[in-house]
Amino acid sequence: MVGPKRWLASAAISALVLGVALPAAAQVTTGDQAPTAASTDVEEEGVVVTGTRLAQPGVMSNSPITTVDAGEIRLQGATNIESVLNRLPQVTADANENVSNGSDGTSQVNLRNLGSNRNLVLVNGQRLLPVQATDLNFVPAFMIKRVDVVTGGASAVYGSDAVSGVINFVLRDDLNGVKTDVQYGFSAHHNDNSAYRQRLTAAGFSRAPDTPVDGQRFDANIAMGTNFADNRGNVTAYFGYRDVKPILQYNRDVSACALDPNDDRSNLICGGSSNNEFGRFTPLRDGVSPTGYNNTRDGQKTWVPYDDSFRYNYAPSNYFQRNDTRYTAGAFARYEVTPAAEIYGSFMFMDDHTNSQVAPSALFQGYNYSINCDNPLMSAQQGQLLCGSAYGTSATQDTYIGYRPVAAPAQPRRDDLRHTDYRVSGGVRGEIAPGIRYDANALFSTVLFNETYRNDIDPVKANRALKVVNRNGTLTCLSVIDGTDPNCVPLNVFQYGGPSAEALSYIYSPTSTDSISKETVLSGTFTFDGGAFGAKLPWADTGIGAVVGVEHRRESYEFNADALAQAKGTQEVAGKFNVTEVFTEVRVPIVENRPFFEELSLTGGYRYSKYSTNDKGVSTYKGEIAWAPSRDLRLRGGYNRAIRAPNIRELFDPRAPGNITAQDPCAGARPTATFAQCALTGVTQAQYGRIIECPSETCNGLFGGNPALKPEEADTYTAGVVLTPTFVPRLTLSVDYFNIKVKDYIGTIPVPLTISQCFATADPFFCSLFQRNPRNGVLFGADANTLGYVTATNLNTGELGTSGLDIGASYAVPTSVGRFSVDMLGTWLRALTTQSLPGFPTYDCKGLFGGSCGQPSPEWRHQARFTWVSSDQKGSISLNWRYIGATKLSYNTSDPSLTGAKYIINSRLPVANYFDLAASATVAKDLTFRIGVNNLLDRDPPAIAQGVLSSFGNGNTYPGVYDVAGRSFFVGLSAEF
């Protein structure tokens, strides 16, 4: 955030810079028709519309379609397409470049907030990649003509996964010439939020730098194409390079320290992790407080009672934006041998390398470390507190340790993530008779994923290094003496700065995993245009259209881990499935070009799918109607029965623990839950009041696959009206209603929901999902034999639902000084409901965030663009307004399914308004210059306590929803000749 004077100066400079450059007109629009790249430019061959396989002249979509064109992408200065989609009000942010800890390096899209696995992603009408490996990084933004976003089930048309809708990237595959583009950008945020900076000062932490410049982006692309054989053929090839620099959380006020609520949850304070740089110890024996002890700050071998002042600020070295280097390449080709046989094909490639970075590793609490009671590295005071009367003997004492080495050679943990993707498609198509066309196609895609986790402490080695004796005046590991590990180096954790460089080098051990996902799709269709042979109703001008087809799809997944990763609990897995489908779609024009019946048509579709993982087949179907009384008004509606079959990872992923943001009501010296409540989760009387709190509000969940999963079923309803009044030229208004209900959805019961339900209702189902450490009752840990967790494995659960309205408007006015236009798209959310299990209560996340509701789901969101284009069409200036409505904390509601600890701070996230300014100008023939500023006012994201953040939270906020980089600039140059 910036002060008034600084804002006025920066805004004036931005306006001056943009004023000398005048973007091509760009739009985010809703409408009826969206021809895809699958169609040709010859009208009589028909037009294919996203959301249907029918190909007939004049066909319009009966499903609501939002179209983002190439100009809009350039105006946003976007080099990663998910950032463009995340601005749409129908989309909730999912995996993206601002997710660090736990990221797999992919980018995904979540339509209608029903999950990224419930929308189908296509390229030119075909599946992008294996569904469990979908990655929008694979899509070359430079080559996009437009993106069609279809709301509503489309399984009858495209098969499984199209529950909430379809995202179809229409790429340019017919270039005749050369096209190039280069762009550079960076972020320049001004850190002057007084409240955020005062927290850092009060905690004794370094404040974020005043004006960091970071997050630099460079993107360069070239495409070449040519027609041949008298334009019966074309070859188009492209190459792209992208390099993105990271943003550290230290460089932003909002994220420079990990935030906790104060005692009465009325304000935020700098907190952190109890796994601190001085060293925390909790001996696992009777008579020891659950808070344990901590090494003193002065480097002496002295223990004092642990308190929150020792918490470690793990935030500064974490990435707020990951670094990334990406190479893309591909080619499209077609050649018409005869009108009855056109050969076509495509090849696409990506190599994407990114890193996530988080704080240095530690000897984390939750692992049962064992120290010999005569260890010469500890003082007598420490030995007596650790071992009691056994001090000085060769006995060993188990203890939890939270010791984080931070001095050199300690380094932040880095997750090295690399994806190498290949996609090959080819086929033959043509017209074998008037009105009869065919298309036979084969698609093959492979995703190779390699992950190496660096600078992580191996707890097995650390445990050996803690067992030390004095042998002839030399400190020696017991494992060296008995020969089990001759390389062991003694580890001194009994004072601040105690570990030697040699000891750290010994306990640091990288782990590596890799996976391969493959998909094969074989398909064939016949399309019939009844108009070519007189098959039409008497009141219609267009013939009945139909398509029939068959499709066979095979998917496989294999995951491998090295020996150390397996020793740490990672399990290898492999699985595969196949599905064979037959489908049809029919459109019947009933009346056309008659008074009050410009159009009246019905469309129906059916698909039968037989999966190798299920004994029974599954049917999906749809019915749609469109009525246009005149050219000014069109009404449309539809019903779709959709399915989503479980993907390979949902079926076969091994069961393993994972971190989850949650709080244990039974932990601490003064638990918030009664003993009677805690006893339902497995707490004993001896453990009550002595259970250690989950470090950094991070407990364990147990996650994994389930081979017994069955397909989800969804019913989707859409209805809308499109107004294009002839008495107001260039005006388009649209209102579309959507209602999506998913039954038996595949997922997990959110851990926060399990916790809240158990303690609010005492329901034995929820309480039975707790598996506490039998020794001390904790809900965390790193030792597979003793860790505590809340079970959250995959199962067919209850129901998901969402409904609301999409409202679009577009208007343009030509004047003597240029063309002025406005395009607006907004979504009003009526409901976003979840029933965790059949028969259980339903909760509604409309207008809420946090806990089981996850990321903010505002009741209203919109994006509006205001553009001026010069009279000679050589330049323009455009202002974009992004609005995100306010949301309330789900914990503070009275709904027993959501209620939790009450917060005064973070009880409400305020409205967020963002403004983006961009311009472009044709500076020479075929050469266009563009410049822009996103987040012009340098607005800060809301600061949120780490115990409240849930899915995709990072840096004390939701970076996929709110802008975290601050004011960002870009400049680009494109040429086409």
Side-chain angles (χ1 to χ4, degrees):
M1 185 175 180
V2 297
K5 291 183 179 180
R6 187 179 295 270
W7 176 83
L8 288 172
S10 61
I13 292 172
S14 300
L16 179 62
V17 171
L18 292 170
V20 301
L22 293 172
Q27 290 182 314
V28 176
T29 60
T30 58
D32 289 310
Q33 186 168 329
T36 73
S39 67
T40 70
D41 293 331
V42 183
E43 183 177 340
E44 59 266 20
E45 290 185 351
V47 173
V48 177
V49 177
T50 302
T52 178
R53 292 181 182 266
L54 294 167
Q56 289 180 285
V59 169
M60 293 184 180
S61 171
N62 291 329
S63 298
I65 293 183
T66 297
T67 298
V68 181
D69 66 14
E72 175 66 24
I73 297 172
R74 289 193 294 270
L75 281 178
Q76 295 185 20
T79 60
N80 49 329
I81 193 63
E82 83 274 5
S83 66
V84 177
L85 295 177
N86 286 343
R87 290 188 178 190
L88 297 177
Q90 306 101 314
V91 173
T92 298
D94 205 88
N96 61 81
E97 65 180 357
N98 297 114
V99 176
S100 185
N101 194 8
S103 171
D104 64 358
T106 64
S107 297
Q108 300 181 32
V109 58
N110 178 1
L111 185 59
R112 302 297 179 193
N113 205 7
L114 293 177
S116 60
N117 53 357
R118 292 185 181 87
N119 42 237
L120 182 61
V121 181
L122 309 174
V123 168
N124 290 349
Q126 293 182 302
R127 288 176 178 264
L128 175 68
L129 291 168
V131 63
Q132 73 274 2
T134 296
D135 186 1
L136 298 189
N137 287 308
F138 187 68
V139 179
F142 166 70
M143 295 296 292
I144 292 176
K145 279 185 178 179
R146 68 173 194 280
V147 186
D148 293 336
V149 180
V150 180
T151 289
S155 292
V157 178
Y158 297 112
S160 176
D161 308 316
V163 171
S164 58
V166 172
I167 298 92
N168 185 23
F169 294 96
V170 181
L171 303 186
R172 186 167 183 180
D173 59 358
D174 56 356
L175 186 64
N176 189 30
V178 178
K179 177 183 178 183
T180 63
D181 187 87
V182 62
Q183 180 174 294
Y184 177 77
F186 60 91
S187 298
H189 179 60
H190 185 68
N191 287 308
D192 66 348
N193 189 302
S194 58
Y196 293 0
R197 296 174 80 79
Q198 285 170 9
R199 292 190 195 106
L200 292 162
T201 301
F205 297 151
S206 298
R207 299 199 306 185
D210 290 340
T211 54
V213 175
D214 50 17
Q216 293 85 352
R217 298 171 177 270
F218 178 75
D219 190 60
N221 301 271
I222 185 170
M224 298 167 286
T226 183
N227 294 327
F228 60 90
D230 296 325
N231 294 328
R232 289 187 294 118
N234 178 274
V235 175
T236 298
Y238 69 89
F239 306 89
Y241 170 76
R242 180 183 72 187
D243 184 69
V244 179
K245 302 302 182 185
I247 295 177
L248 292 173
Q249 289 187 15
Y250 172 69
N251 282 353
R252 298 295 184 272
D253 281 338
V254 69
S255 56
C257 73
L259 294 178
D260 290 327
N262 61 5
D263 289 341
D264 63 0
R265 299 186 179 88
S266 62
N267 208 339
L268 297 175
I269 59 174
C270 283
S273 172
S274 57
N275 297 300
N276 62 77
E277 69 266 46
F278 306 105
R280 181 183 182 182
F281 299 80
T282 308
L284 301 178
R285 62 181 181 85
D286 293 338
V288 177
S289 167
T291 57
Y293 310 106
N294 218 87
N295 288 330
T296 55
R297 295 179 174 84
D298 57 9
Q300 299 300 308
K301 293 185 176 182
T302 304
W303 282 358
V304 294
Y306 169 83
D307 59 54
D308 286 347
S309 68
F310 286 104
R311 284 196 167 196
Y312 170 72
N313 182 19
Y314 57 79
S317 58
N318 290 12
Y319 277 171
F320 222 169
Q321 173 181 291
R322 300 193 315 272
N323 67 301
D324 181 73
T325 301
R326 184 190 71 168
Y327 296 89
T328 56
F332 307 93
R334 60 174 177 83
Y335 175 65
E336 184 184 276
V337 182
T338 70
E342 181 183 54
I343 302 170
Y344 66 95
S346 67
F347 169 77
M348 299 176 69
F349 165 82
M350 180 193 74
D351 182 78
D352 185 75
H353 187 198
T354 185
N355 296 97
S356 67
Q357 178 173 296
V358 293
S361 187
L363 282 74
F364 287 108
Q365 299 170 77
Y367 189 90
N368 282 356
Y369 290 102
S370 182
I371 302 175
N372 54 299
C373 292
D374 56 352
N375 188 316
L377 287 170
M378 62 183 175
S379 68
Q381 185 251 11
Q382 291 171 323
Q384 290 166 359
L385 291 174
L386 174 69
C387 299
S389 60
Y391 171 62
T393 71
S394 60
T396 59
Q397 175 61 53
D398 289 349
T399 183
Y400 281 172
I401 300 177
Y403 192 105
R404 191 186 305 263
V406 296
Q411 297 290 330
R413 286 166 288 167
R414 286 176 66 84
D415 203 0
D416 188 292
L417 308 163
R418 188 166 202 146
H419 289 84
T420 305
D421 302 353
Y422 305 86
R423 183 179 185 272
V424 180
S425 175
V428 60
R429 61 195 174 200
E431 186 174 41
I432 56 178
I436 302 177
R437 300 184 61 82
Y438 74 95
D439 189 341
N441 180 271
L443 169 68
F444 308 93
S445 60
T446 299
V447 175
L448 305 176
F449 176 48
N450 291 276
E451 178 179 14
T452 301
Y453 199 61
R454 306 182 189 278
N455 305 328
D456 195 26
I457 291 176
D458 180 353
V460 175
K461 286 187 174 181
N463 221 358
R464 294 175 190 152
L466 292 171
K467 297 182 178 65
V468 179
V469 296
N470 188 330
R471 188 182 190 190
N472 301 323
T474 301
L475 298 179
T476 307
C477 296
L478 288 173
S479 59
V480 172
I481 297 173
D482 62 22
T484 56
D485 186 355
N487 298 315
C488 180
V489 179
L491 179 65
N492 178 12
V493 296
F494 300 101
Q495 62 189 128
Y496 173 60
S500 66
E502 294 78 12
L504 291 178
S505 297
Y506 166 70
I507 62 176
Y508 279 141
S509 298
T511 59
S512 295
T513 60
D514 63 80
S515 68
I516 179 170
S517 297
K518 293 184 177 182
E519 180 179 59
T520 298
V521 183
L522 306 175
S523 62
T525 61
F526 280 97
T527 304
F528 305 91
D529 182 358
F533 36 87
K536 60 181 180 180
L537 296 184
W539 308 283
D541 299 328
T542 305
I544 297 172
V547 61
V548 295
V550 60
E551 183 172 287
H552 178 76
R553 178 162 52 96
R554 297 194 299 268
E555 296 198 16
S556 64
Y557 173 72
E558 182 179 341
F559 175 80
N560 303 298
D562 66 13
L564 181 56
Q566 293 186 54
K568 289 185 175 182
T570 301
Q571 300 179 46
E572 297 186 321
V573 66
K576 60 184 179 180
F577 74 86
N578 65 78
V579 55
T580 300
E581 302 174 292
V582 293
F583 56 88
T584 186
E585 190 175 1
V586 179
R587 177 177 180 269
V588 181
I590 300 174
V591 184
E592 293 176 312
N593 300 316
R594 301 290 195 274
F596 301 106
F597 288 96
E598 184 72 20
E599 175 199 355
L600 178 62
S601 64
L602 297 174
T603 303
Y606 176 80
R607 177 179 290 251
Y608 177 81
S609 307
K610 179 63 178 67
Y611 286 85
S612 60
T613 52
N614 283 279
D615 294 333
K616 296 181 179 180
V618 182
S619 295
T620 59
Y621 38 87
K622 72 169 187 175
E624 298 170 341
I625 185 171
W627 174 41
S630 68
R631 295 183 179 182
D632 295 3
L633 174 65
R634 189 168 188 265
L635 306 173
R636 60 194 179 193
Y639 163 77
N640 280 264
R641 162 60 63 88
I643 67 163
R644 188 183 78 85
N647 63 47
I648 290 178
R649 298 195 62 179
E650 290 171 328
L651 289 167
F652 302 114
D653 255 1
R655 297 193 174 192
N659 292 341
I660 190 71
T661 299
Q663 298 170 334
D664 182 1
C666 299
R670 294 183 297 276
T672 59
T674 67
F675 170 68
Q677 291 174 308
C678 294
L680 297 174
T681 70
V683 175
T684 66
Q685 183 68 64
Q687 292 170 344
Y688 185 71
R690 298 174 176 83
I691 296 174
I692 304 169
E693 295 178 342
C694 295
S696 306
E697 285 74 46
T698 303
C699 301
N700 274 347
L702 182 71
F703 305 96
N706 180 358
L709 293 173
K710 61 182 181 179
E712 302 173 347
E713 291 185 350
D715 294 310
T716 71
Y717 303 85
T718 58
V721 56
V722 180
L723 294 171
T724 53
T726 54
F727 54 87
V728 185
R730 299 171 298 280
L731 172 65
T732 300
L733 300 172
S734 65
V735 179
D736 285 288
Y737 170 77
F738 62 90
N739 189 318
I740 304 172
K741 297 179 180 179
V742 184
K743 296 178 290 185
D744 298 325
Y745 76 91
I746 299 167
T748 65
I749 302 175
V751 170
L753 177 63
T754 296
I755 294 173
S756 65
Q757 282 293 288
C758 175
F759 289 96
T761 67
D763 190 297
F765 173 82
F766 289 103
C767 295
S768 67
L769 298 177
F770 286 75
Q771 181 63 50
R772 293 186 176 274
N773 183 316
R775 184 169 187 173
N776 53 24
V778 299
L779 286 178
F780 60 93
D783 187 335
N785 297 316
T786 61
L787 61 83
Y789 55 81
V790 178
T791 301
T793 50
N794 292 334
L795 68 159
N796 287 103
T797 56
E799 295 186 358
L800 299 174
T802 186
S803 62
L805 294 176
D806 289 333
I807 301 173
S810 177
Y811 183 57
V813 178
T815 70
S816 59
V817 296
R819 178 186 175 98
F820 294 86
S821 63
V822 59
D823 298 282
M824 189 280 292
L825 177 64
T827 296
W828 172 68
L829 183 63
R830 177 176 174 268
L832 181 63
T833 60
T834 300
Q835 182 188 47
S836 55
L837 289 168
F840 278 73
T842 297
Y843 59 88
D844 190 350
C845 288
K846 179 189 72 174
L848 302 177
F849 79 97
S852 299
C853 290
Q855 296 185 95
S857 298
E859 190 171 348
W860 174 259
R861 283 178 62 191
H862 74 241
Q863 180 173 224
R865 182 170 292 282
F866 306 87
T867 303
W868 169 79
V869 180
S870 63
S871 299
D872 58 6
Q873 301 290 308
K874 290 186 177 181
S876 62
I877 298 176
S878 187
L879 177 70
N880 189 52
W881 172 26
R882 293 177 278 147
Y883 177 92
I884 303 170
T887 52
K888 297 180 180 179
L889 180 60
S890 62
Y891 293 155
N892 289 357
T893 67
S894 59
D895 190 330
S897 298
L898 299 174
T899 187
K902 306 302 180 186
Y903 282 72
I904 300 174
I905 191 71
N906 291 151
S907 61
R908 179 181 182 272
L909 300 184
V911 168
N913 287 289
Y914 294 100
F915 296 94
D916 313 310
L917 189 61
S920 73
T922 301
V923 296
K925 184 179 180 181
D926 303 321
L927 187 65
T928 303
F929 172 77
R930 66 182 180 275
I931 188 170
V933 184
N934 290 321
N935 193 359
L936 179 66
L937 305 185
D938 202 19
R939 179 186 175 93
D940 286 319
I944 304 170
Q946 59 181 339
V948 171
L949 285 176
S950 49
S951 56
F952 302 109
N954 186 31
N956 305 316
T957 194
Y958 290 106
V961 177
Y962 302 104
D963 191 313
V964 300
R967 186 183 294 114
S968 299
F969 298 84
F970 65 88
V971 58
L973 197 64
S974 61
E976 186 168 352
F977 47 88

